[in-house]
Amino acid sequence: MTDAAIPNDREPGAGQETKRRSVVYTRSKQTRASVLWMDRFARRAISVGGLFVIFTVFAIMFFLVYVTMPLFGGGTVGEAKRYALDQTNGRILSTTIDEYRTLGLELAEDGKVTVFHAPSGTKLGASAFDFGGVAPAAFARTLQGDDVAFGFPDGTVRLGTLAIDTAVLPASRAPSALEKLPNGDRSDGAAVYTEIPGRQLRRLAPRLVLEMPVQVAPAGTAIRFLDYRVGGTAERPLKTFATVDEHGTARLSTAYAQVNMMTGETSTTVSNVEVPTGLAAGDIAAVLLNTQGNRLLVATKDGVIRRFDTRDPAHAKLAETARLLPQGVRPTALAYLNGENSLIVAGSDRSLSIWTMIDRKSSSTTDGAVLTKIHDLGLQPAPVERLAVSQRTRLFIGADRAGDVALYHATTERRVLTFPSEGAAAPVETLILAPRDNGALAIGSDGAARLWTFDVPHPETTLGSLFGKVWYEGYPEPGYTWQSTSGTDSAEPKLSLVPLIFSTIKGAFYSLVFAVPIALLAAIYTSEFMHLRLRAVVKPLMELMASLPSVVIGFVVALVLSPIVENWIAAVVIAFGVVPLALIGSAFLWQLLPRPLALRLDGAPKLVAFFLALAGAIWLTLAISPLFERALFAGDFKAWTTGAGSAAPFLFLLVLPLSFILVFGLSGRFFGQSWRERLRGREYHVAGAWEFGRWAALTLLSLAVAAGLAHLLASGGFDARGGIVGTYVQRNTLIAAFGMAFAVIPIIYSIAEDALGAVPEHLRSASLGCGATNWQTARWVILPTAGSGIFSAIMIGLGRAVGETMILVMATGNTPIMDWSLFNGLRALSANINVELPEAVKDSSLYRTLFLCGLVLFVMTFILNTLAELVRQRFRKRAAQL
């Protein structure tokens, strides 16, 4: 080998070139430490974030469960105290206790009032009504308990007041000599003083007032039965009382009292009207009067009640005779519930039931109303003989023949609590429920007083009352009702969640009926048929719609769209048929263009032509709607919804989609192949003309089939009115569905379009290469492959519709109605939370029920997402086989 053959390091050569290339292009195959660190950090951060999301979801669920669980709890009895009171004054007529369960009053038949400290039984003193040494023959008190009435053997009635006055005083004004009571209260012998925050004292003292006697019955005729009510205003109280004397004569008396605001003097005028009962005093068990004085109930000992209509006292008449108890069973106790709409009836057969008047337009009664048993509390351990009702709820307490006392709730038909007897108990003489429904006081015939404190925070909520049918006062039958508040405190709350759940499903369903076809067809068009440059503009604009706040959509829908739809409701209804037909017809007319011209106009011009066709369809709808309204809907669509005209026109619109599917489906099934063979080889515009003619013919046939089906259904008694169509109100489900569809369409469109675009290109190319058209490829290849993504898009849209709040609040009447009518309002769970929560008192039944609404919404969403995931996995397995 010569020296020339040896490469020189200083001279450029092949070896040096190879070495330089290896130095320049060789890279280290080891991953940098920073990359590995970031990878580990990202992996752990994602894991922690995912776990935190799962934890947060379950924490929210557990919090909702924690807040709502007390709704289904019962009650608890706190302290149970027993002590003896003086029993030397004769039979006890009444017992009174204040709202703080501090001071008690015991009224005996000789008029003496024993004042005692309720928690300990310490006697504080005594007062008395001056009856002139004559014991009353009848006694009554109002529901609130402050007003009392006494009937005497001489036929007179004396009205009075037996109340406990409450006053708050500064500690400096307390009397100097106060005796300490066992629980820390203090007394001066007549009143009780309790320390309260702010260095103040609460003073509780009895107040006794007895008015002058009023001669009701003839002199010397004893009053046997008496009931008393006070209404009116503070300036002009209206006192009404009903009496039955020893001869069985019933009288309705009204005392009009007027207070002179300058002098404080009261002038009273009394009027008496006889009510013909036709009964002897010995047959009567009780007399009950309502506050308005327009209804008088006379119950007899054989379980029959006579209801007298006294709206015109001078012409009182027997309105109804009803049997409340079986033959041979006598009533042992009768009392009105709070509100005086329902009557508690206890029988000697141990039965306990609730009766109320229901307007049934009955011909057997003078006013059409019928006393109906709406609640049955079942057989009790012993016949209930004493009743005391709550002043604010449908709670009441009853004492049975054995001396046992229990707490009941009328609406939920349950025995909430049974109070401990603390040893043998004598029959109860008087019974009282504390004004705040947190205490009960019973005094037996032996003078033994029993005081219980209890806590029943949510007596009106059970699984049955929240999710089952409940028969409420005044309703003709059991039903699902939501009415949390009313004009008066005497109305019972109605907290059924079923109308809210139904409305949530109804609103979501109708919104998806409008949104899904539009969103999916738009996604298919932009993915498979629209030019790429135009798609790059349209898709971001559609996605931008999703960012529009729902409150803005609700505002526009409620204040702008709602009046327009109301004025053009017939045009809107007809547009559901005219607009699709016009757009499809325009698409067939587009095929009449020569092929080169159609290709040049593809893209933006084609989209502009589509919008022009849409505008033309809307104009055509507005132009022909008056003609259709006169021809099909008796000239006024809103009047037609209330019953005018024939049912066939709207049935025609309803069955029209079914007739199109039927006609076009059968045509394609039996004649599709031969028709395609006939068109093969013809020029593009000629084939388009034939297709347009075929479509027009099948459309006319579909219209004829729909008309035939509509008349057939109408002749069979079918009518959409009363179903999906009802009386039109401006804020209705149709308006809300339009607004929610506008909010849901961008979501469904965007996800569905991404799913269609993610289909592998080789599937699309293979289909087109086999001779399939773009539509055939989209229908038979692209859609099945993207099925899981499309289904996910629909379910996400459904989740948005289910949870929508502001559009429903602003665009509907927020009426919890259970019907499928498009023209009625609704109240969804989310809207109900939004409307009711600001007014709900913390920890009240309504407050916790609203959290239960949130929990139900949470569970509904969880179930929907679970089902959606199962279906999506099924779609994915099918798509993987393609």
Side-chain angles (χ1 to χ4, degrees), residues 259-314:
V259 180
N260 189 319
M261 302 304 292
M262 299 295 293
T263 64
E265 296 180 355
T266 302
S267 58
T268 304
T269 303
V270 180
S271 63
N272 297 319
V273 176
E274 289 191 9
V275 179
T277 63
L279 297 171
D283 296 331
I284 297 176
V287 174
L288 292 170
L289 181 69
N290 67 334
T291 300
Q292 292 76 22
N294 56 18
R295 183 172 66 243
L296 176 65
L297 303 181
V298 179
T300 59
K301 294 179 179 179
D302 60 353
V304 175
I305 197 164
R306 287 168 172 80
R307 179 171 61 87
F308 292 89
D309 184 355
T310 57
R311 286 176 291 184
D312 183 3

XYZ file of all heavy atoms in Angstrom, residues 259-314:
408
model
N -114.509 49.167 68.439
C -113.644 49.818 69.413
C -113.425 51.261 68.992
O -113.036 51.544 67.854
C -112.296 49.086 69.527
C -111.389 49.780 70.546
C -112.512 47.633 69.906
N -113.695 52.168 69.896
C -113.429 53.580 69.669
C -111.940 53.826 69.886
O -111.429 53.720 71.001
C -114.257 54.446 70.628
C -114.173 55.918 70.281
O -113.119 56.433 69.941
N -115.317 56.592 70.393
N -111.242 54.141 68.819
C -109.794 54.278 68.906
C -109.374 55.494 69.714
O -108.246 55.575 70.188
C -109.196 54.368 67.497
C -109.524 53.165 66.616
S -109.003 51.592 67.352
C -107.233 51.766 67.289
N -110.298 56.441 69.914
C -109.960 57.629 70.699
C -110.116 57.367 72.187
O -109.253 57.727 73.001
C -110.854 58.804 70.269
C -110.678 59.171 68.789
S -109.025 59.801 68.422
C -109.068 61.336 69.350
N -111.251 56.753 72.582
C -111.542 56.547 74.010
C -111.216 55.139 74.479
O -111.104 54.900 75.685
C -113.017 56.844 74.284
O -113.829 55.892 73.559
C -113.376 58.251 73.816
N -111.117 54.185 73.538
C -110.870 52.809 73.926
C -112.111 52.056 74.338
O -112.035 50.871 74.697
N -113.285 52.704 74.290
C -114.512 52.042 74.680
C -114.989 51.107 73.583
O -114.787 51.358 72.393
C -115.593 53.080 74.983
C -115.267 53.972 76.172
C -116.365 54.991 76.433
O -117.318 55.048 75.612
O -116.278 55.717 77.430
N -115.638 50.025 74.003
C -116.138 49.024 73.069
C -117.652 48.963 73.158
O -118.215 48.840 74.257
C -115.542 47.636 73.376
O -114.120 47.718 73.302
C -116.036 46.602 72.384
N -118.288 49.038 72.011
C -119.747 48.891 71.948
C -120.060 47.615 71.185
O -119.456 47.342 70.141
C -120.390 50.085 71.251
O -119.876 50.233 69.941
N -120.970 46.799 71.699
C -121.273 45.487 71.128
C -122.754 45.401 70.796
O -123.607 45.789 71.601
C -120.890 44.363 72.094
O -119.513 44.498 72.439
C -121.121 43.002 71.455
N -123.026 44.877 69.594
C -124.401 44.633 69.151
C -124.536 43.155 68.847
O -123.725 42.597 68.086
C -124.730 45.463 67.904
O -124.503 46.844 68.197
C -126.180 45.254 67.484
N -125.535 42.495 69.419
C -125.709 41.060 69.264
C -127.006 40.784 68.514
O -128.053 41.383 68.815
C -125.740 40.354 70.633
C -125.935 38.849 70.459
C -124.461 40.647 71.404
N -126.921 39.883 67.523
C -128.109 39.442 66.785
C -128.221 37.930 66.901
O -127.210 37.217 66.835
C -128.021 39.861 65.319
O -126.915 39.233 64.692
N -129.433 37.429 67.064
C -129.684 35.997 67.218
C -130.615 35.521 66.102
O -131.599 36.189 65.774
C -130.333 35.686 68.570
C -129.422 36.043 69.728
O -128.225 35.802 69.660
N -129.984 36.629 70.775
N -130.287 34.353 65.552
C -131.109 33.737 64.509
C -131.266 32.261 64.852
O -130.271 31.577 65.136
C -130.466 33.899 63.112
C -131.291 33.150 62.071
C -130.325 35.362 62.738
N -132.484 31.773 64.839
C -132.717 30.353 65.098
C -132.414 29.525 63.842
O -132.733 29.929 62.727
C -134.165 30.112 65.533
C -134.472 30.629 66.919
C -135.822 30.139 67.427
O -136.416 29.268 66.750
O -136.249 30.609 68.497
N -131.803 28.363 64.082
C -131.484 27.421 63.005
C -132.302 26.159 63.240
O -132.098 25.477 64.255
C -129.978 27.096 62.979
C -129.679 26.100 61.859
C -129.157 28.364 62.805
N -133.228 25.826 62.351
C -134.089 24.656 62.588
C -133.329 23.352 62.391
O -132.949 22.992 61.275
C -135.185 24.822 61.533
C -134.548 25.619 60.443
C -133.560 26.522 61.090
N -133.058 22.632 63.460
C -132.345 21.360 63.374
C -133.279 20.160 63.414
O -132.943 19.098 62.891
C -131.331 21.237 64.517
O -132.025 21.242 65.772
C -130.346 22.400 64.488
N -134.435 20.297 64.086
C -135.351 19.171 64.223
C -134.824 18.084 65.139
O -135.239 16.929 65.033
N -133.892 18.428 66.021
C -133.284 17.446 66.915
C -133.578 17.799 68.357
O -133.741 18.974 68.714
C -131.760 17.400 66.696
C -131.256 16.946 65.322
C -129.753 17.174 65.227
C -131.579 15.483 65.072
N -133.591 16.779 69.188
C -133.680 16.977 70.630
C -132.286 17.141 71.206
O -131.301 16.616 70.656
C -134.394 15.797 71.283
N -132.178 17.877 72.306
C -130.871 18.123 72.905
C -130.187 16.830 73.304
O -128.956 16.719 73.245
C -131.023 19.047 74.116
N -130.964 15.822 73.717
C -130.358 14.568 74.125
C -129.763 13.773 72.989
O -128.983 12.837 73.219
N -130.115 14.107 71.732
C -129.574 13.386 70.578
C -128.288 14.014 70.058
O -127.593 13.423 69.232
C -130.602 13.364 69.444
C -131.861 12.608 69.818
O -131.750 11.682 70.642
O -132.950 12.952 69.303
N -127.986 15.208 70.501
C -126.850 15.952 69.954
C -125.577 15.595 70.723
O -125.581 15.490 71.945
C -127.126 17.467 70.007
C -128.339 17.806 69.118
C -125.903 18.259 69.560
C -128.751 19.249 69.179
N -124.487 15.413 69.965
C -123.184 15.112 70.557
C -122.272 16.331 70.584
O -121.481 16.501 71.516
C -122.500 13.975 69.801
N -122.355 17.187 69.562
C -121.470 18.350 69.504
C -122.006 19.337 68.485
O -122.768 18.974 67.579
C -120.043 17.940 69.134
N -121.587 20.589 68.642
C -121.912 21.664 67.709
C -120.605 22.331 67.308
O -119.774 22.654 68.176
C -122.865 22.692 68.345
C -123.070 23.875 67.413
C -124.194 22.064 68.676
N -120.417 22.528 65.990
C -119.181 23.120 65.488
C -119.518 24.266 64.542
O -120.381 24.138 63.663
C -118.328 22.080 64.753
C -117.721 20.966 65.621
C -117.110 19.893 64.750
C -116.688 21.535 66.570
N -118.804 25.364 64.712
C -119.009 26.562 63.907
C -117.675 26.975 63.308
O -116.623 26.764 63.910
C -119.551 27.681 64.813
C -119.874 29.031 64.167
C -121.089 28.903 63.244
C -120.142 30.074 65.255
N -117.705 27.554 62.097
C -116.469 28.078 61.527
C -116.370 29.576 61.778
O -117.339 30.233 62.170
C -116.385 27.761 60.035
C -117.439 28.507 59.223
O -118.487 28.868 59.747
N -117.165 28.714 57.952
N -115.183 30.132 61.560
C -114.929 31.522 61.915
C -115.810 32.487 61.133
O -116.280 33.494 61.668
C -113.443 31.861 61.678
O -112.643 30.999 62.496
C -113.138 33.307 62.021
N -116.057 32.195 59.848
C -116.881 33.083 59.040
C -118.354 33.026 59.446
O -119.138 33.897 59.063
C -116.758 32.739 57.549
C -115.399 33.043 56.945
C -114.346 32.029 57.345
O -114.683 30.898 57.725
N -113.093 32.419 57.259
N -118.726 32.007 60.184
C -120.102 31.877 60.612
C -121.060 31.449 59.521
O -122.284 31.553 59.682
N -120.542 30.943 58.413
C -121.409 30.537 57.305
C -121.622 29.027 57.230
O -122.216 28.535 56.273
C -120.831 31.035 55.976
C -119.405 30.552 55.736
O -118.940 29.608 56.364
N -118.705 31.223 54.837
N -121.130 28.303 58.230
C -121.303 26.847 58.241
C -121.468 26.376 59.677
O -120.629 26.670 60.531
C -120.111 26.160 57.577
C -120.258 24.657 57.482
C -119.154 24.037 56.663
N -117.852 24.156 57.287
C -116.820 24.818 56.785
N -116.953 25.465 55.647
N -115.656 24.870 57.412
N -122.524 25.655 59.917
C -122.808 25.120 61.245
C -122.979 23.613 61.140
O -123.763 23.129 60.314
C -124.082 25.756 61.824
C -124.552 25.212 63.184
C -123.521 25.527 64.262
C -125.917 25.786 63.550
N -122.222 22.892 61.952
C -122.292 21.436 61.974
C -122.918 20.995 63.295
O -122.484 21.443 64.367
C -120.903 20.818 61.825
C -120.085 21.190 60.582
C -118.742 20.465 60.605
C -120.836 20.864 59.305
N -123.898 20.125 63.191
C -124.547 19.550 64.376
C -124.391 18.040 64.276
O -124.961 17.407 63.383
C -126.024 19.946 64.473
C -126.657 19.319 65.701
C -126.172 21.464 64.509
N -123.585 17.473 65.175
C -123.332 16.032 65.167
C -124.231 15.360 66.188
O -124.406 15.860 67.312
C -121.868 15.749 65.487
N -124.799 14.223 65.796
C -125.670 13.472 66.704
C -124.926 12.260 67.238
O -123.873 11.860 66.722
C -126.944 13.031 65.966
O -126.584 12.218 64.844
C -127.731 14.232 65.472
N -125.500 11.678 68.272
C -124.841 10.565 68.945
C -124.850 9.272 68.142
O -124.152 8.319 68.504
C -125.514 10.324 70.298
C -125.319 11.477 71.270
C -126.004 11.224 72.594
C -125.779 12.380 73.559
N -126.454 12.176 74.858
N -125.616 9.225 67.058
C -125.635 8.019 66.228
C -124.662 8.101 65.053
O -124.733 7.305 64.123
C -127.054 7.754 65.708
C -127.581 8.914 64.867
O -126.900 9.962 64.807
O -128.666 8.778 64.271
N -123.734 9.096 65.070
C -122.698 9.183 64.035
C -123.119 9.917 62.798
O -122.421 9.839 61.770
N -124.212 10.660 62.834
C -124.687 11.434 61.693
C -124.422 12.905 61.965
O -124.559 13.372 63.094
C -126.184 11.191 61.436
C -126.704 12.094 60.323
C -126.414 9.727 61.079
N -124.059 13.631 60.920
C -123.801 15.062 61.070
C -124.690 15.822 60.104
O -124.897 15.400 58.948
C -122.307 15.391 60.832
C -121.974 16.776 61.381
C -121.927 15.287 59.366
C -120.492 17.034 61.542
N -125.238 16.910 60.581
C -126.076 17.779 59.767
C -125.334 19.086 59.532
O -124.944 19.760 60.479
C -127.425 18.023 60.450
C -128.349 16.823 60.409
C -129.540 16.995 61.332
N -130.524 15.916 61.144
C -130.415 14.712 61.671
N -129.361 14.417 62.426
N -131.338 13.788 61.451
N -125.178 19.410 58.267
C -124.451 20.632 57.891
C -125.462 21.672 57.430
O -126.225 21.446 56.487
C -123.434 20.325 56.783
C -122.664 21.556 56.316
C -121.521 21.162 55.395
N -121.985 20.489 54.204
C -122.372 21.109 53.083
N -122.365 22.428 53.025
N -122.755 20.415 52.027
N -125.423 22.822 58.090
C -126.363 23.900 57.790
C -125.624 25.027 57.068
O -124.522 25.426 57.469
C -127.018 24.439 59.065
C -127.945 23.458 59.723
C -127.463 22.551 60.661
C -129.289 23.422 59.397
C -128.314 21.644 61.267
C -130.139 22.513 59.997
C -129.650 21.617 60.932
N -126.232 25.508 56.004
C -125.704 26.637 55.249
C -126.244 27.908 55.887
O -127.443 28.205 55.801
C -126.138 26.532 53.792
C -125.527 27.628 52.925
O -124.846 28.510 53.479
O -125.749 27.606 51.691
N -125.362 28.670 56.531
C -125.779 29.887 57.245
C -125.173 31.140 56.616
O -124.936 32.141 57.302
C -125.372 29.784 58.720
O -123.949 29.574 58.813
C -126.086 28.653 59.408
N -124.906 31.072 55.327
C -124.388 32.277 54.670
C -125.403 33.416 54.750
O -125.026 34.581 54.821
C -124.037 31.953 53.217
C -122.770 31.124 53.061
C -122.509 30.737 51.637
N -123.505 29.775 51.151
C -123.474 29.209 49.946
N -122.508 29.524 49.106
N -124.404 28.331 49.590
N -126.656 33.063 54.681
C -127.723 34.022 54.952
C -128.359 33.602 56.276
O -129.243 32.744 56.308
C -128.757 34.009 53.829
C -129.858 35.042 54.040
O -129.774 35.796 55.027
O -130.799 35.073 53.219
N -127.889 34.157 57.405
C -128.353 33.660 58.704
C -129.865 33.689 58.872
O -130.433 32.835 59.551
C -127.657 34.600 59.703
C -126.477 35.142 58.962
C -126.918 35.250 57.545
N -130.516 34.651 58.246
C -131.973 34.747 58.399
C -132.702 33.619 57.676
O -133.867 33.352 57.963
C -132.458 36.100 57.895
